[in-house]
């Protein structure tokens, strides 16, 4: 049949039609060599056929029996174990836990700035290059002609920022949640980060590393400290309002140590002269919607918020030029919902314009609406009991006008003063005279426009603090400036 065919294709077609073969089978026959037609080759083909039939029978039996299938799987796994088994190199310890966004953020120090018009931003400390004395500095933040940096601090990206409003509410933000902008950028309006109500404004920003107080070794010790603090506060409240404090230095030191052990605290001072002290741990449960930091009357508003250790004296200044200084232990620790107690007794038409925690070596700067001001040593403000009318801080009248700001400054600080016409002046605190308490002060700012009045003043230490933070970072990185020059004194 093959020999009689005219072509290969014809032979394939004849084989397929005569023997009912497939195209592949016909092709295999046509390609077979003549030597495969011998008896020996025939036996090999039959043997291969028998092997294939046996394999088909075995595989069919495995597929039809679940027991045989499982036995085959076991045998194959044992073979894999024998060929490839080796000791485990990884070790599983502990329990798996979910990661938060904060766990993925590197912890580093940030310089946070807050402007007078409510713009906030953060930048790495490393962005502020440390310079030698006499350097020209760098732009720390972009502002408009009527805006300026009002508050600056250095905090970790994992630290909290407590945002207190004039209506007594508090909001929490982590430093890494604040917008990061360029060194000369203005930042982002804080009203876009926290929901403020009508006529509600930011009173203060406080950076806090931890909201929980450090754990005591024994609960009994903590209770004894709290009881001692309450007893000390109650004893002082029994004293006459505004009377000068007479107690030994040893007694004062011991009482302050008790307060520090029970702290830290947040101190609040309102426009109507109320003061409240709350333990920091009372703010340990943040809420995105904020919560009440203190109860406040409709005709009152929060003026000052301070982070206190517990051993500082409080100084409160008023619009009519009065001031009072007392130990904060006279203000017992209260809950968040409390209104507070009387810090200073105000005359009709008077209100609080500022409050500070006394620091050693600082002076009290008082600014009036007609551009006059002065600095006075803190030693001239005698220690009295809270609730009194206070003593004269500066003489007010036609020349000076009313007091608009009371600040605690040092010679290294600068003071920013703003008027109702939008005029700004920045003065070094060291250029303002240190004079007595019951005086009229000196000219600090000349008012050239009709009806122009000073409406506010604030301490502006941003360049000094940012450069100091940068110097610390540079020292930790290798004690050299970012331009490769050696530290000062080692040239």
């Amino acid at each position: 049949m093959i020999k009689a065919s005219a072509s290969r294709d014809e032979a394939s077609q004849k084989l397929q039609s005569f023997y009912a073969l497939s195209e592949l089978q016909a092709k295999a026959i046509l390609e077979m060599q003549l030597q495969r037609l011998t008896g020996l080759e025939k036996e090999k083909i039959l043997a291969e056929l028998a092997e294939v039939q046996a394999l088909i029978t075995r595989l069919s039996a495995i597929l039809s029996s679940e027991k045989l299938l499982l036995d085959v799987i076991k045998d194959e796994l044992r073979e894999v174990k024998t060929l490839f088994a080796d000791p485990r190199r990884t070790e599983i310890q502990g329990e798996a836990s979910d990661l938060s966004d904060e766990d993925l953020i590197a912890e580093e120090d940030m310089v946070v700035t807050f402007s007078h018009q409510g713009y906030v931003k953060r930048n790495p400390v490393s962005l502020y290059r440390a310079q030698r004395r006499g350097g020209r500095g760098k732009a720390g933040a972009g502002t408009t002609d009527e805006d300026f940096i009002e508050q600056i601090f250095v905090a970790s990206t994992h630290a909290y920022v407590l945002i207190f409003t004039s209506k007594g509410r508090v909001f929490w933000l982590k430093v890494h949640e604040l917008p990061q902008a360029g060194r000369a950028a203005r930042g982002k309006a804080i009203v876009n980060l926290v929901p403020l109500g009508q006529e509600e404004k930011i009173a203060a920003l406080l950076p806090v590393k931890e909201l929980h107080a450090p754990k005591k070794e024994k609960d009994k010790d903590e209770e004894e400290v709290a009881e001692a603090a309450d007893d000390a506060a109650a004893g002082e409240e029994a004293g006459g309002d505004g009377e000068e404090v007479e107690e030994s230095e040893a007694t004062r030191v011991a009482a302050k140590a008790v307060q520090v052990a029970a702290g830290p605290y947040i101190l609040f001072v309102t426009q109507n002269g109320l003061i409240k002290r709350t333990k920091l741990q009372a703010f340990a449960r943040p809420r995105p919607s904020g919560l009440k930091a203190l109860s406040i009357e409709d005709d009152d508003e929060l003026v000052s918020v301070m982070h206190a250790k517990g051993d500082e004296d409080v100084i409160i200044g008023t619009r009519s030029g009065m001031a009072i200084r007392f130990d904060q232990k006279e203000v017992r620790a209260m809950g968040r919902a409390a209104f507070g107690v009387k810090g200073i007794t105000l005359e009709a038409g008077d209100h609080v314009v500022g409050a500070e925690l006394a620091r050693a070596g600082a002076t009290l700067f008082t600014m009036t609406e007609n551009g006059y001001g002065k600095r006075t040593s803190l030693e001239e403000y005698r220690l009295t009991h809270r609730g009194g009318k206070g003593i004269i801080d500066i003489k007010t009248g036609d020349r000076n006008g009313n007091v608009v700001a009371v600040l605690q400054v040092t010679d290294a600080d600068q003071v920013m003063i703003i008027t109702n016409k939008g005029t700004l002046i920045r003065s070094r605190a060291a250029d303002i005279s240190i004079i007595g308490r019951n005086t009229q002060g000196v000219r600090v700012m000349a008012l050239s426009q009709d009806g122009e009045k000073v409406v506010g003043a604030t301490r502006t230490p941003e360049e000094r603090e940012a450069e100091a933070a940068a110097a610390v970072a540079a020292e930790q990185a290798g004690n050299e400036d970012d331009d490769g020059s050696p530290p000062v004194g080692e040239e």
Side-chain angles (χ1 to χ4, degrees), residues 277-342:
R277 186 168 66 149
T278 303
K279 288 187 178 182
L280 178 61
Q281 62 186 8
F283 303 93
R285 294 184 178 179
R287 293 181 187 174
S289 59
L291 52 81
K292 183 182 292 186
L294 77 160
S295 296
I296 195 166
E297 299 287 353
D298 292 337
D299 61 344
D300 198 3
E301 69 177 38
L302 188 60
V303 171
S304 181
V305 182
M306 298 163 285
H307 187 191
K309 294 187 298 181
D311 59 349
E312 306 95 336
D313 292 339
V314 181
I315 300 176
I316 301 176
T318 74
R319 181 172 180 265
S320 63
M322 303 298 289
I324 188 172
R325 177 177 181 175
F326 56 88
D327 195 326
Q328 66 171 283
K329 75 175 186 290
E330 295 192 11
V331 183
R332 67 182 184 276
M334 309 174 192
R336 286 188 297 102
F339 281 87
V341 295
K342 182 182 291 187

Side-chain angles (χ1 to χ4, degrees), residues 13 41 62 104 143 167 219 241-242 250 279 288 291 318 325-326 351 354 360 413 426 444-445 461 468:
Q13 292 295 333
E41 291 296 330
I62 292 173
L104 305 177
T143 55
K167 296 302 181 182
D219 294 339
D241 288 346
K279 288 187 178 182
L291 52 81
T318 74
R325 177 177 181 175
F326 56 88
H351 65 259
D413 292 327
R426 183 172 180 172
V444 177
M445 182 178 184

Side-chain angles (χ1 to χ4, degrees), residues 422-490:
T423 305
L424 290 173
I425 186 174
R426 183 172 180 172
S427 302
R428 293 185 301 172
D431 294 338
I432 302 172
S433 302
I434 299 178
I435 56 180
R437 176 180 53 78
N438 190 7
T439 56
Q440 290 189 336
V442 297
R443 171 75 69 179
V444 177
M445 182 178 184
L447 306 177
S448 57
Q449 303 181 49
D450 293 338
E452 188 174 21
K453 298 287 186 181
V454 175
V455 294
T458 185
R459 183 174 66 94
T460 57
E462 65 271 11
E463 290 182 2
R464 175 175 58 84
E465 291 191 3
E467 291 177 5
V472 172
E475 182 179 354
Q476 293 175 348
N479 290 324
E480 61 177 24
D481 295 341
D482 65 351
D483 58 359
S485 59
V488 177
E490 297 183 7

Side-chain angles (χ1 to χ4, degrees), residues 214-245:
K215 294 181 179 180
K216 307 293 189 302
E217 292 183 359
K218 296 181 179 179
D219 294 339
K220 183 178 180 181
D221 293 342
E222 184 175 357
E223 293 175 0
E224 291 176 354
V225 167
E227 290 176 1
D230 291 341
D231 292 343
E236 294 299 337
E237 288 179 5
D241 288 346
E243 295 180 359
E244 189 169 356
V245 175

